[in-house]
Amino acid sequence: MNIAIDGPAGAGKSTVARKVAEQLGYVYIDTGAMYRAVTYTAQRAGVLPEQTARLAELTRSLQIDLRPGEHGQSVYVNGEDVTSSIRSREVTLQVSHYAAIESVRDVLGALQRQLAARKGVVMDGRDIGSHVLPNAELKVFLTASVQERAARRYREISDSQSITLRQLESEIAERDRLDEQRAISPLVCASDAVVLDSTGMTIDEVIAAIVNLSRTKLAEAK
């Protein structure tokens, strides 16, 4: 079956989805990395979000590959490893603006559906259960308080990115606002999704909860 994990920025979706996929023997697809790849490439090419025609042409020209590795998933754009580059603060601050563009979402959404066609996929993002894979057998909306998400991100970022916890809280709250209010495929909780608030939970507890949900779904389907 396919598992869709949605939720706001900093909720831990990527880490959780990757580990769930590992435990179930499924394929993990990090859609957020795909939007980051487009954002990074557009920034490097000097293409702004409002330059929609140029951005659409650029997005269609990209070959985005997600490759599993020893240290998680690597991201390649037209053969170039951009795994580290797409996690920069510059990309983080702008990705919601690029992801709001309809042409970008159309191109990447089609690719994501193609990847999930054979089933056995764990896919995370903002609109997977509500838009990309509305027929996913299990949908989870993973969330946490803004303060919790900011604290997690603060612990993850490198020392070279000088930023305060208060700044992170403000930036995450703004990304929530942009994701929830965008006109195309906004961040919403699908009506048939299981809401999982991870505030106060460890990563292992969240992973175990989703794995148990998936096994229950599989047992019910037999």
Side-chain angles (χ1 to χ4, degrees), residues 205-217:
E205 288 171 340
V206 175
I207 294 166
I210 297 176
V211 168
N212 287 337
L213 284 169
S214 67
R215 288 175 175 159
T216 298
K217 282 281 186 181

Side-chain angles (χ1 to χ4, degrees), residues 190-212:
S191 60
D192 54 347
V194 177
V195 178
L196 185 57
D197 190 332
S198 66
T199 305
M201 296 177 70
T202 66
I203 289 290
D204 288 341
E205 288 171 340
V206 175
I207 294 166
I210 297 176
V211 168
N212 287 337

Side-chain angles (χ1 to χ4, degrees), residues 50-125:
E50 54 267 29
Q51 295 175 300
T52 54
R54 288 187 63 195
L55 184 57
E57 182 180 1
L58 174 72
T59 304
R60 286 192 291 268
S61 74
L62 302 182
Q63 176 66 47
I64 301 174
D65 295 317
L66 306 176
R67 306 178 189 175
E70 291 184 12
H71 305 291
Q73 197 168 63
S74 295
V75 183
Y76 288 78
V77 175
N78 295 339
E80 178 188 355
D81 187 348
V82 297
T83 308
S84 298
S85 301
I86 65 172
R87 300 295 172 183
S88 71
R89 187 156 175 261
E90 290 74 20
V91 171
T92 298
L93 289 174
Q94 289 295 312
V95 64
S96 291
H97 295 281
Y98 284 91
I101 304 304
E102 184 173 11
S103 59
V104 174
R105 302 202 74 82
D106 285 346
V107 172
L108 295 188
L111 176 57
Q112 291 154 14
R113 292 185 191 95
Q114 181 182 339
L115 292 171
R118 293 185 178 181
K119 301 285 188 175
V121 156
V122 180
M123 188 179 293
D124 74 294

Side-chain angles (χ1 to χ4, degrees), residues 171-182:
E171 289 174 4
I172 286 176
E174 175 61 9
R175 283 194 66 186
D176 286 352
R177 187 188 68 80
L178 290 171
D179 290 340
E180 291 167 357
Q181 295 182 8
R182 69 182 178 221

